[in-house]
């Protein structure tokens, strides 16, 4: 006997669980299948984000930053701690506790909204039909008017440095170390690489990041990248740009890595090696041979603007369709696809999706960089204000970095904001709202911001676009033409 649903979602990461909840809210009978297993073969909802990505990494970033502050900064506040000791087991326990609270929260939300969770794997057999295989191996055919694929992504593995789960690990493995590696190598200085490198560097590892590209985070505003690189260097992160890893050999106690830099072959030895060279769409076993959805040339599930795949009644959202591989992008698409199924006309604005790096200093941005504006032949004005002129930043003891705003010269519409500094992960959201409503820099400049808050630097930056900051001397800067 088969079960029938209006919607079956495959994947309970941020894209899938949100799609399932929204579909249920809109009155559709909904099931959500997920095959994730945590250590000890424990099924868990929440996908990469909650179990092995956003949440555990932020938990460890917070703990490790506090550890570093206790070691290096509390004395400046007049707080003497004596000796500071690391209890990594407790740090990891706290992280695991946060993960299980939040994944349990999704279970509760499913219950409250009437979503049926099915723990095991799902396979699209045809339009309207999914084969569910439970973790016990039992199979069940599910009929569904609509199917939503939200199967996410997996870490890219390098042939020259295959994961062995011990010496050479992926980002999940790097969140689970039970001892601080003395020498840690990271291949790839993208967002995940620098976040994980920061965690272990703060906890005492000697960290070397090997990045094939010559520029640090090439898609990021150059000034933001430069400011962050300066701070990372000061913290002791050894970021080698233009360093292409050519081989890795794991031994019993260490791993030897060879890389090319400046035309020469180099070698480095580490206790652990993290491979963080990007993520690939995860479609393994997703479709039966008879019901393949079309993939694009990079392996992402191909969809149209309504998230329809090549199979009628089968939709896809989240990392598996590409674009910014971010949890909030997937959540936005999850809501949108459910509303489309309900006959509504939602739209995700891909121009205002923020990017955030949770290092110290944090980096955050939304919209176009100056390079983008130049390439698009847009005449623009720039305002830039450092946190050094902000009273709250001084009080926090963290006044590195700045806010930089780019606005069209003709209409003054804000087209990009790039930040590096304290809590910019939170500050960026004001700009997302502003840009969503097509605000001008003057609109923001006319809004009274609370004092003393970090958001005053956003306000001053808006004033700076028109060369009239109050708490900083004006500086002339104009873009193209
Ligand atoms: P996923 O979260 O990957 O979920 C897909 C789910 O589908 C998985 O649970 C998988 O088990 C399940 N699945 C796949 N195939 C099947 C099948 N056939 N049957 C049943 N189940 C299936 N993003 C941010 O926005 N902010 C961050 O701070 C951030 N930090 C990150 C840190 C790290 C270390 C990593 C690795 C990623 C981070 N990301 C972050 C990215 C974020 O985790 C992803 O963008 C997000 O999880 C994608 O959501 P998704 O729902 O598309 O896929
Ligand atoms: P991201 O895609 O943002 O997670 O970043 C992954 C980074 O890994 C990119 O900046 C790549 O340039 C880098 N990368 C990929 N392969 C290699 C390699 N063999 N050696 C060093 N860096 C690499």
């Amino acid at each position: 006997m088969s079960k029938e649903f209006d919607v079956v979602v495959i994947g309970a990461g941020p894209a899938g669980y949100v799609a399932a909840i929204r579909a249920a809210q809109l009155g559709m009978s909904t099931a959500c299948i997920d095959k994730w297993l945590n250590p000890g073969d424990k099924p868990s909802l929440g996908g990469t984000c909650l179990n092995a990505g956003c949440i555990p990494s932020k938990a460890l970033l917070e703990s490790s930053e506090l550890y570093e502050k206790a070691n290096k900064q509390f004395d400046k506040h007049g707080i003497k701690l004596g000796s500071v000791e690391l209890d990594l087991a407790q740090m990891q326990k706290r992280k695991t506790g946060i993960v299980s609270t939040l994944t349990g929260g999704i279970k509760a939300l499913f219950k409250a909204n009437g979503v049926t969770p099915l723990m095991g794997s799902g396979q699209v057999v045809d339009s309207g039909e999914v084969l569910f295989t439970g973790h016990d191996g039992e199979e069940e055919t599910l009929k569904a008017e609509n199917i939503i694929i939200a199967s996410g992504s997996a870490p890219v593995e390098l042939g020259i440095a295959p994961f062995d789960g011990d010496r050479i690990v992926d980002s999940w493995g790097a969140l689970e170390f039970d001892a601080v590696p003395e020498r840690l190598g990271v291949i790839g200085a993208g967002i995940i690489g620098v976040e994980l490198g920061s965690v272990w560097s703060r906890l005492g590892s000697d960290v070397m990041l090997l990045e094939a590209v010559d520029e640090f985070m090439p898609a990021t505003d150059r000034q933001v990248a430069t400011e962050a690189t300066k701070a990372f260097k000061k913290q002791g992160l050894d970021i080698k740009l233009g360093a292409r890893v050519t081989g890795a050999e794991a031994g019993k106690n260490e791993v030897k890595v060879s890389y090319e830099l400046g035309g020469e072959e180099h070698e480095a030895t580490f206790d652990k090696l993290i491979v963080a060279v990007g993520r690939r769409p995860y479609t393994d076993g997703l479709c039966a041979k008879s019901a393949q959805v079309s993939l694009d040339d990079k392996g992402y599930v191909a969809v149209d603007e309504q998230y329809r795949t090549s199979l009628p009644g089968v939709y896809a959202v989240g990392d598996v369709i590409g674009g910014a591989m971010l949890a909030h992008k997937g959540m936005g698409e999850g809501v949108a696809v459910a509303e489309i199924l309900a006959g509504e006309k939602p739209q995700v604005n891909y121009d205002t999706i923020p990017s955030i790096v949770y290092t110290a200093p944090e980096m955050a941005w939304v919209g176009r960089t100056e390079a983008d504006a130049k390439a698009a032949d847009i005449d623009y004005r720039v305002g830039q204000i450092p946190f050094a002129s902000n009273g709250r930043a001084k009080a926090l003891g963290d006044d590195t970095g700045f806010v930089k705003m780019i606005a069209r010269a003709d209409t003054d519409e804000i087209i990009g904001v790039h930040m590096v500094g304290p809590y910019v992960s939170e500050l960026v959201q004001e700009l997302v709202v502003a840009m969503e409503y097509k605000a001008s820099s003057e609109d923001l400049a006319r809004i009274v911001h609370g004092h003393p808050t970090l958001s005053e630097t956003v306000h001053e930056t808006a004033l700076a676009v028109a060369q009239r900051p109050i708490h900083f001397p004006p500086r002339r800067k104009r873009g193209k033409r």
Side-chain angles (χ1 to χ4, degrees):
M1 237 208 33
S2 62
K3 280 200 187 125
E4 275 189 39
F5 294 94
D6 293 329
V7 181
V8 168
V9 184
I10 301 179
Y17 83 73
V18 167
I21 290 174
R22 187 71 188 119
Q25 283 175 350
L26 291 164
M28 294 173 254
S29 63
T30 306
C32 186
I33 307 175
D34 201 294
K35 64 178 178 182
W36 190 280
L37 289 174
N38 274 332
D41 282 346
K42 287 190 193 134
S44 183
L45 298 168
T48 306
C49 173
L50 272 83
N51 294 289
C54 325
I55 298 302
S57 63
K58 265 80 261 179
L60 288 186
L61 278 157
E62 191 61 35
S63 297
S64 60
E65 195 174 355
L66 283 176
Y67 176 69
E68 179 159 279
K69 280 186 174 159
N71 268 315
K72 296 187 182 155
Q73 291 179 26
F74 278 17
D75 58 340
K76 287 195 199 122
H77 291 266
I79 303 168
K80 290 204 187 297
L81 292 176
S83 76
V84 176
E85 244 181 84
L86 175 66
D87 180 350
L88 183 58
Q90 168 57 27
M91 202 176 272
Q92 291 288 23
K93 194 172 150 201
R94 173 183 175 272
K95 176 207 75 185
T96 306
I98 293 167
V99 168
S100 39
T101 303
L102 293 176
T103 54
I106 295 177
K107 201 170 166 191
L109 287 172
F110 274 4
K111 193 164 179 215
N113 285 283
V115 175
T116 306
L118 296 170
M119 307 314 287
S121 48
Q123 186 176 59
V124 180
V125 176
D126 202 349
S127 293
E129 193 174 317
V130 171
L131 176 68
F132 167 65
T133 310
H135 288 303
D136 55 6
E138 200 140 312
E139 292 185 347
E140 193 171 7
T141 298
L142 309 176
K143 298 278 180 200
E145 202 177 320
N146 295 293
I147 298 166
I148 301 172
I149 294 171
S151 53
S153 61
V156 168
E157 185 162 22
L158 290 176
I160 46 151
F163 303 126
D164 65 10
D166 176 30
R167 295 278 150 206
I168 305 179
V169 298
D170 63 11
S171 51
W172 192 8
L175 290 164
E176 303 293 330
F177 291 156
D178 56 9
V180 180
E182 223 168 279
R183 300 160 300 174
L184 176 65
V186 184
I187 312 182
I191 297 183
I192 294 176
V194 291
E195 286 188 359
L196 294 172
S198 293
V199 165
W200 295 106
S201 162
R202 291 165 186 171
L203 297 180
S205 297
D206 230 335
V207 178
M208 183 191 286
L209 289 112
L210 298 161
E211 168 54 58
V213 172
D214 290 324
E215 271 188 319
F216 178 59
M217 293 200 181
T220 312
D221 173 87
R222 286 303 79 204
Q223 282 168 280
V224 167
T226 305
E227 183 79 11
T229 316
K230 248 191 327 190
F232 296 156
K233 265 203 184 128
K234 233 162 107 187
Q235 290 158 21
L237 283 181
D238 182 5
I239 303 177
K240 294 205 185 302
L241 299 175
R244 172 167 292 281
V245 174
T246 50
E249 205 182 306
K252 197 160 166 273
N253 300 314
E254 54 190 28
V255 44
K256 279 195 187 341
V257 172
S258 44
Y259 60 96
E260 279 169 13
L261 176 62
E264 283 175 25
E265 271 293 328
H266 298 257
E267 222 181 60
T269 305
F270 305 108
D271 301 302
K272 298 271 185 190
L273 178 68
I274 304 171
V275 181
V277 295
R279 298 183 61 80
R280 65 169 174 92
Y282 183 74
T283 52
D284 303 9
L286 179 68
C287 296
K289 276 211 175 74
S290 54
Q292 296 289 320
V293 292
S294 298
L295 307 180
D296 70 12
D297 53 354
K298 291 195 173 110
Y300 294 100
V301 173
V303 292
D304 65 10
E305 66 289 346
Q306 304 272 294
Y307 307 105
R308 285 181 292 220
T309 70
S310 56
L311 275 183
V314 180
Y315 297 73
V317 287
D319 276 12
V320 78
I321 65 166
M325 290 168 96
L326 294 169
H328 44 284
K329 178 265 210 187
M331 292 191 209
E333 290 173 348
V335 169
V337 74
E339 293 180 350
I340 287 167
L341 295 184
E344 297 180 9
K345 292 191 167 55
Q347 266 195 340
V348 175
N349 184 355
Y350 290 96
D351 292 335
T352 55
I353 290 181
S355 295
I356 302 164
V357 190
Y358 296 81
T359 42
E362 294 183 343
M363 293 178 255
W365 62 94
V366 53
R368 299 181 197 242
T369 59
E370 275 197 86
D372 295 336
K374 281 196 181 108
D377 213 19
I378 294 170
D379 194 7
Y380 62 89
R381 295 190 299 172
V382 175
Q384 186 173 326
I385 295 289
F387 282 105
S389 61
N390 181 294
R392 185 75 195 283
K394 291 279 184 214
L396 284 172
D398 187 358
D399 65 353
T400 41
F402 56 82
V403 177
K404 172 172 167 182
M405 188 176 292
I406 304 169
R408 284 183 184 274
D410 50 0
T411 62
D412 191 33
E413 181 187 341
I414 301 167
I415 56 170
V417 181
H418 307 272
M419 310 178 183
V420 53
Y423 296 107
V424 294
S425 53
E426 299 293 334
L427 294 184
V428 74
Q429 207 51 42
E430 173 177 1
L431 282 314
V432 172
V433 175
M435 285 175 61
E436 189 64 44
Y437 287 100
K438 302 217 170 296
S440 62
S441 77
E442 189 184 346
D443 289 330
L444 269 196
R446 290 195 178 280
I447 295 170
V448 174
H449 286 64
H451 175 76
T453 64
L454 296 170
S455 75
E456 287 176 289
T457 299
V458 173
H459 182 232
E460 286 286 329
T461 307
L463 286 164
V465 173
Q467 314 296 337
R468 57 188 185 97
I470 300 291
H471 298 91
F472 198 75
R475 198 190 293 157
R476 305 225 155 251
K477 185 159 187 214
R478 208 180 154 90
K480 213 170 164 298
R481 266 184 260 144

